[in-house]
Amino acid sequence: MRKKNKLKEIDQTMYTLLLREKKRQMQGLELIPSENFVSKAVLEALGSVATNKYSEGYPGRRYYGGNEIIDEIELLAIERLKKLFSAQHANVQPLSGAPANMAAFFALMEPGDKFMALKLDMGGHLTHGHLANFSGKLFKPVHYLLDPKTEMLDYDAIEKLAIEEKPKLILAGYTAYPRAIDFKRIKEIADKVGAYSMADIAHIAGLCCTGVHENPVPYFDIITTTTHKTLRGPRGAAIMCKEEYAKSVDKAVFPFLQGGPHENVIAAKAVAFKEASTEKFKEYAKQIVKNSRALADELIALGFRLVSGGTDNHLLLVDLTNKKISGGEAQNVLEKAKIYCNKNAIPYDKRSLFDPSGIRLGTPALTTRGMKENEMREIASLIARVLAKPQSGANIKEVAKEVQQLCQSFPFY
Ligand SMILES: *Cc1c(COP(=O)(O)O)cnc(C)c1O
């Protein structure tokens, strides 16, 4: 309480902005699949004095003095993460998912090396070889695609491409893929062509560590993850790998890519890893998928086409082609009703990436608030009502009112 008052006293403008943002988060329906609400315990660690400390290096090997407690904090985060995912080695310093991927690439590859990943407009990430990104500029990406009929991964095609291209590394793990990933098959393919196996579980980490989705960590060479999506920790990332790559990974994070680690964030990661190891979190992860399926089923019943016909995880991709509205327009009009989602390309999209044919919806944040299948069905119908009459201000207003009522029944912070 005192801390809050201090901010109000020193900087009324920022205090008001943060209060307004908190209200926005609580009074709207957060359906962006990469977002979540961290616990108050995580927030406390994030806002702690650990932010004051310089600790370049690693526990026991720092370039600054006064790190004995910081070492304990970072070691706790490392040990908890290793246990959570059954990892041989973990680095908790990456500042976010994109730099974690950069460090992972440089740990195992040289500039110019060839790697395979899913194309961005099929569900991949910018760091998986897009030309505007380091991954496409400094390395040589070869992209695999989704099966145009099923809109799912085609493992035989991936295997064929891997045999032809002989990449140094094969990357699995996506940003907008609503289906389960057969990590075992990807690992087999990588082994067959002598490539490193890399998993980027940024989106599904919270499902992997609870067994709700297959966990690739024990047998993949290298695994990157963000900590702020389904894992429900602070904004940040981590890298896990086999013991034999531990040194390369640590060197790639520091001193190659980063300077001083953000130990307040690492403290908050440690808290989140503890929370994620509980039975309660396992129930949470299961509920995320139940909610996702309920949302998907109801949207289908209301006449929406879902990419791949449904979902196995926390997200779904809605193809709006038959609804005569673009993804960008849908995102904007839904935002007016306080329903937050993001425009997203669908596989083989005929529209541009800047205003694609789809929207991406996810359930991690609303599940954290305690919403269940009934609320998901209600939300599906609210979305349908907005998109049925996107021009009608009165219609949007009516839905916005119902959104607010729904949110009030699920207070969080
Ligand atoms: C979110 C995401 C990232 C990037 O994370 P940032 O923290 O935004 O840098 C990387 N890979 C995948 C698959 C993601 O979904």
Side-chain angles (χ1 to χ4, degrees), residues 34 96-99 101 125 127-128 173-175 200 202-203 226 228-229 235-236:
S34 45
S96 219
N101 282 348
H125 189 261
T127 53
H128 297 181
Y174 316 105
T175 294
D200 177 351
H203 260 263
T226 59
H228 51 274
K229 297 180 185 175
R235 193 154 291 279

Side-chain angles (χ1 to χ4, degrees), residues 297-369:
D297 289 347
E298 190 67 15
L299 284 169
I300 291 168
L302 291 165
F304 287 89
R305 192 189 87 81
L306 299 197
V307 167
S308 82
T311 177
D312 301 320
N313 60 21
H314 63 300
L315 71 84
L316 33 129
L317 257 186
V318 187
D319 174 6
L320 295 168
T321 308
N322 65 348
K323 297 286 175 188
K324 308 267 177 290
I325 187 168
S326 74
E329 287 161 353
Q331 175 188 320
N332 290 338
V333 68
L334 285 166
E335 179 165 341
K336 285 188 197 153
K338 297 198 194 310
I339 299 172
Y340 302 109
C341 68
N342 66 283
K343 63 184 176 194
N344 210 100
I346 59 166
Y348 304 96
D349 208 321
K350 293 196 178 67
R351 299 181 57 93
S352 101
L353 259 185
F354 297 97
D355 190 10
S357 302
I359 50 171
R360 192 179 65 147
L361 304 171
T363 54
L366 293 184
T367 307
T368 293
R369 286 185 78 162

Side-chain angles (χ1 to χ4, degrees), residues 228-239:
H228 51 274
K229 297 180 185 175
T230 49
L231 204 48
R232 208 163 69 185
R235 193 154 291 279
I239 304 177

Side-chain angles (χ1 to χ4, degrees), residues 66-309:
N67 271 305
E68 68 269 26
I69 299 163
I70 292 295
D71 277 5
E72 285 187 46
I73 290 173
E74 190 167 331
L75 281 172
L76 190 60
I78 291 168
E79 287 313 313
R80 283 180 179 168
L81 184 63
K82 281 166 65 176
K83 193 156 172 236
L84 189 59
F85 285 93
S86 304
Q88 290 180 21
H89 178 75
N91 186 311
V92 294
Q93 294 191 2
L95 299 174
S96 219
N101 282 348
M102 189 169 189
F105 278 24
F106 274 99
L108 298 181
M109 293 194 284
E110 299 289 333
D113 278 350
K114 190 191 276 183
F115 72 98
M116 262 174 65
L118 183 65
K119 210 161 167 258
L120 177 74
D121 59 8
M122 304 252 154
H125 189 261
L126 274 168
T127 53
H128 297 181
H130 194 273
L131 280 176
N133 183 263
F134 83 88
S135 54
K137 279 209 160 86
L138 302 182
F139 297 90
K140 204 172 153 203
V142 173
H143 284 126
Y144 52 91
L145 310 175
L146 297 179
D147 181 318
K149 270 219 183 74
T150 61
E151 298 171 304
M152 295 191 211
L153 291 165
D154 177 347
Y155 298 95
D156 293 339
I158 295 173
E159 179 168 349
K160 192 163 163 271
L161 189 64
I163 291 168
E164 278 165 22
E165 295 283 350
K166 302 219 171 341
K168 186 130 180 219
L169 178 149
I170 300 179
L171 173 49
Y174 316 105
T175 294
Y177 186 66
R179 292 301 186 167
I181 303 163
D182 188 348
F183 281 121
K184 286 214 173 75
R185 181 78 199 273
I186 299 275
K187 172 73 167 111
E188 276 168 25
I189 295 169
D191 286 348
K192 191 168 178 178
V193 300
Y196 291 119
S197 51
M198 173 171 168
D200 177 351
I201 56 170
H203 260 263
I204 55 173
L207 308 182
C208 292
C209 71
T210 46
V212 172
H213 188 290
E214 189 195 339
N215 175 21
V217 176
Y219 58 92
F220 262 54
D221 292 320
I222 194 162
I223 305 91
T224 54
T225 182
T226 59
T227 45
H228 51 274
K229 297 180 185 175
T230 49
L231 204 48
R232 208 163 69 185
R235 193 154 291 279
I239 304 177
M240 293 171 272
C241 66
K242 289 188 178 157
E243 197 56 52
E244 58 193 296
Y245 308 119
K247 268 213 172 101
S248 314
V249 164
D250 287 350
K251 277 198 235 162
V253 173
F254 176 85
F256 175 74
L257 183 61
Q258 295 186 175
H262 296 187
E263 294 292 346
N264 58 318
V265 183
I266 289 174
K269 285 174 189 173
V271 175
F273 300 155
K274 182 175 185 191
E275 289 174 349
S277 66
T278 58
E279 207 43 50
K280 208 170 146 198
F281 193 86
K282 196 178 262 182
E283 285 310 308
Y284 163 66
K286 283 185 195 158
Q287 191 63 44
I288 288 178
V289 177
K290 283 188 204 160
N291 282 354
S292 185
R293 291 218 164 107
L295 186 62
D297 289 347
E298 190 67 15
L299 284 169
I300 291 168
L302 291 165
F304 287 89
R305 192 189 87 81
L306 299 197
V307 167
S308 82

